[in-house]
Structure formats: structure tokens, C-alpha cells
Amino acid sequence: MEKKPRITYQKNGPYIVHDVDKVVDSDGTLLAKKQERRLCRCGGSRYKPFCDGSHIDIGFEGDYAVSVKEVKKVGTSSPSDELLHSETEKANSEPPKESGIIIEKNGPYTVQGSIEIESVEKQPTAQQHTICRCGGSGVKPFCDGTHTKIGFRDDHILAIIRVDAVEEELTRVTIGKKELVVIKRDSGLSVFSGVCLHAEALLVEGFIEENYLTCGRHRWRYNLETGQLDGDPSMALKKLQTKFEDGWLLIEKAELNELADLEDD
């Protein structure tokens, strides 16, 4: 039985995207195919476009959907309103679009093709419509342009840990299946890939000696300035570029994506 692409959502929680093969991130990256993925709709995730549970921390209220008729009452010139006003004409005049989700830079999710959205009365027949991801729309799940008014941003920067939460020499940070180790020294904080290149031991279980991070399992040593393996500089941990903002340690999401996932045991 063929599975139907659709979008549902948790009570006051994320969008759950089912069986949608094409999801394009706001930097143009085609995300790996997944049967199910969770996309942020509160606007607060530190791992955009994915949900990281921030909707709980910020008390997001989004447990409602509206009919197409209600969206038309808004009377705005938002992208969704324009699309919904002319949905029938577009459905009749446009060639069929490939089903997929385009994540707009600093904007909403553009949903194309035959993807159903949970609880929306009289499912829009247009081949394209937009749904909110800034958390502020007054006509959820549709976009009403609020992202522009509130200055919503998706800079592909991740806030991975608060600086004041780094108390030990080695601190583990896990994002999905990506492992990082934050190293605290007198000179400041640095972030490396958190898995030893030898046997995938977690480096947070190792220790610092002189200018090296030493794996606790087989004593492989990595230079704390370059990440290079002692004795074989052709092998190296990835050292991620960092910056600080509002008390958070930040990294580029693109760099995180370069790291391999840690396999489940």
C-alpha cells in the first residue's frame, strides 16, 4: 500500500512530516530521506529546522488549525493569504508540482504538491501553500507574514551550550547522533568532534595532559590546537569554528553536518 505524504503536528509541539521524500533546507541542501522527521514550528529551536524541544521551554501555544475561510478573513497580503485566495485557479492552471517542502530563508515552510495537512478544513487544492515556522502566525498552521514583522532569522548557527554550563575540562554535547566535546582551558573554550578516530570511544571520557586531549580507552592523543593525532598528523579530529553570543557557545550548522553520526549500540 502506497504511503501518503502528510504533515501532522503534536499538541503545542512540532510538525511531524510523514513520507515526504523531498525536503530542501534554507541553504539549498536536500535533506536525507526519512520516513518521519520533526520540524520546528515554535520558532525557538536552536537546531533549526529541526525540533529540539524548545516549544516546552518557551510555553509555545499552537494547538489549533483554521479553515481556509478563516484565513481569508485576515485580509493581509501574506504569501499564504494570496495563495489561498486563488487556490482553485492555480490548481486548474498550474502543472502538477513535485511533492516536497522548501524551507524558506528566514521565512515559512513552502509545501508543494499533494501533501495533506492535518485538521485543515477543505484541504487547499492549490499546488503550493505556506505554513508558519516562526511561531507567531495568527492563522496557524498557515503563514500570515508575522516572521517579517518579528525579524525571524534562520542563520544556520547553532547555540550548543551556555558558557556558564561548561564547568569541567571536558563537557559532552550531543546533537541528534552527532557527538561533540567542549574543552575548557585557561585560554578559553574550544569544540571538537567528540569521538576518537580509533575505536569510536567518547572523548569526554578521556583527559587533558599538556597540550593534548587523550582518549581514555587506548590513549590516542590529539593536539588541542589543531586536532591532529600525535604521531600521525594526517589524522585529525575536526575542530569546529566557534563564536559567543548572549552567553551561548555557537557553531555553524554546516560544520556539524560534516561530522559522521555515532552509530547506535
Side-chain angles (χ1 to χ4, degrees):
M1 182 177 178
E2 187 178 355
K3 294 181 178 178
K4 206 165 189 177
R6 66 196 191 282
I7 299 173
T8 62
Y9 38 91
Q10 290 183 338
K11 180 178 181 179
N12 301 327
Y15 294 113
I16 306 174
V17 177
H18 307 266
D19 302 306
V20 177
D21 290 339
K22 181 183 177 182
V23 181
V24 181
D25 206 349
S26 60
D27 62 357
T29 301
L30 179 63
L31 301 182
K33 291 184 180 180
K34 273 189 160 186
Q35 185 174 355
E36 178 181 303
R37 67 173 77 245
R38 296 176 181 234
L39 298 180
C40 174
R41 72 177 176 119
C42 73
S45 174
R46 297 188 300 274
Y47 192 29
K48 295 179 182 71
F50 308 109
C51 171
D52 69 351
S54 290
H55 55 277
I56 297 172
D57 298 334
I58 67 178
F60 174 66
E61 295 183 0
D63 184 33
Y64 62 96
V66 296
S67 67
V68 172
K69 183 177 180 181
E70 288 175 293
V71 174
K72 290 181 178 180
K73 286 180 181 178
V74 176
T76 68
S77 59
S78 71
S80 285
D81 193 57
E82 292 175 355
L83 287 166
L84 290 168
H85 269 84
S86 57
E87 62 192 18
T88 302
E89 291 81 357
K90 287 192 175 185
N92 291 333
S93 63
E94 288 185 347
K97 290 181 180 288
E98 178 187 4
S99 292
I101 299 172
I102 310 298
I103 302 169
E104 304 293 348
K105 179 70 175 174
N106 299 332
Y109 301 107
T110 295
V111 182
Q112 297 180 335
S114 56
I115 300 175
E116 292 187 355
I117 301 175
E118 177 188 34
S119 301
V120 177
E121 295 179 23
K122 299 180 181 178
Q123 181 71 31
T125 56
Q127 285 289 310
Q128 177 172 297
H129 45 280
T130 56
I131 56 176
C132 175
R133 76 174 177 123
C134 73
S137 173
V139 290
K140 294 182 183 73
F142 295 105
C143 167
D144 68 355
T146 297
H147 59 276
T148 301
K149 298 174 185 176
I150 66 177
F152 174 72
R153 296 188 61 82
D154 176 13
D155 288 328
H156 291 276
I157 298 288
L158 296 182
I160 63 168
I161 192 169
R162 287 201 61 85
V163 173
D164 56 14
V166 182
E167 299 178 347
E168 307 295 331
E169 277 191 326
L170 302 177
T171 300
R172 180 185 183 185
V173 173
T174 304
I175 302 176
K177 292 185 178 181
K178 313 286 189 182
E179 286 284 342
L180 305 175
V181 59
V182 179
I183 298 174
K184 182 178 182 180
R185 305 173 70 200
D186 291 341
S187 56
L189 302 180
S190 55
V191 180
F192 287 87
S193 51
V195 179
C196 182
L197 300 177
H198 178 219
E200 293 195 341
L202 296 180
L203 291 171
V204 73
E205 297 172 356
F207 53 93
I208 302 291
E209 58 177 5
E210 299 177 347
N211 194 42
Y212 291 92
L213 167 59
T214 301
C215 177
R217 185 177 297 179
H218 296 113
R219 301 299 191 269
W220 280 39
R221 304 200 316 162
Y222 302 93
N223 187 286
L224 287 175
E225 300 300 327
T226 64
Q228 292 176 325
L229 178 66
D230 187 26
D232 186 358
S234 67
M235 299 180 68
L237 299 175
K238 180 169 181 59
K239 183 176 183 179
L240 288 83
Q241 297 298 312
T242 61
K243 66 178 184 177
F244 302 91
E245 184 176 299
D246 297 329
W248 286 89
L249 180 62
L250 311 179
I251 61 171
E252 289 278 353
K253 190 172 79 172
E255 288 200 294
L256 180 71
N257 290 340
E258 293 176 6
L259 302 182
D261 289 348
L262 182 67
E263 295 296 327
D264 293 329
D265 294 333

